[in-house]
Amino acid sequence: MVDFVPPFVIILLSIYGLLSKRHIISKVIALDVLNTGVVYLFVVIASKAGEYYPIKTESVKSYADPFPQAVIITSIVIGFATLSLLLMISMLVVEKKRKTDIVKIEKD
C-alpha cells in the first residue's frame, strides 16, 4: 500500500500544476510530469516481489509477465511523441500570438 503513495503524489502535484499555472510551458511540463506519474503507477502495479525476468527456464518457476512491461514501454513512447507534438504546437501558438499567458491567448 505504501508503494502507491509516491505515484499518486506525483499525479496530484501535476494536476495542481495544470490547474494553477498560467504559462504555456509550465502546463506542458505539468503534462509531462503527469505522464511520468502514470507510468510510475503502472510500474508499481505491474511489479511483483520475487519474480524473475520473463525468460522461462527449468530452475525459474515464477517469471514476470511481459505484457505489462510492453504496455509501459509503449506508454513511454506515446508520451514522448505527445510531448513533442505539444511543444511544437505551443511554440507555434506563442510565435503567432506573441504571448505565453494562457488567459491572454484565450482572450484573443
Side-chain angles (χ1 to χ4, degrees):
M1 188 67 174
V2 177
D3 295 338
F4 291 102
V5 173
F8 281 121
V9 168
I10 292 172
I11 290 170
L12 289 175
L13 286 175
S14 64
I15 291 173
Y16 172 74
L18 278 172
L19 296 176
S20 66
K21 301 298 179 185
R22 293 174 60 166
H23 196 276
I24 193 165
I25 299 298
S26 297
K27 288 190 180 277
V28 170
I29 291 171
L31 278 173
D32 187 44
V33 171
L34 179 65
N35 181 36
T36 303
V38 170
V39 168
Y40 185 22
L41 181 65
F42 286 162
V43 168
V44 169
I45 291 171
S47 67
K48 294 181 182 176
E51 294 195 353
Y52 297 96
Y53 298 111
I55 301 172
K56 191 167 185 170
T57 60
E58 295 168 2
S59 63
V60 177
K61 302 296 182 202
S62 175
Y63 63 95
D65 187 17
F67 182 73
Q69 296 174 7
V71 170
I72 290 169
I73 293 293
T74 305
S75 172
I76 291 170
V77 171
I78 290 171
F80 177 73
T82 305
L83 178 67
S84 301
L85 183 64
L86 189 58
L87 282 172
M88 185 198 67
I89 291 172
S90 63
M91 185 178 70
L92 291 174
V93 167
V94 168
E95 191 175 305
K96 183 176 180 179
K97 300 287 186 177
R98 298 287 182 204
K99 297 175 185 161
T100 59
D101 191 359
I102 294 289
V103 176
K104 292 178 183 176
I105 290 173
E106 288 176 350
K107 286 182 182 177
D108 287 345

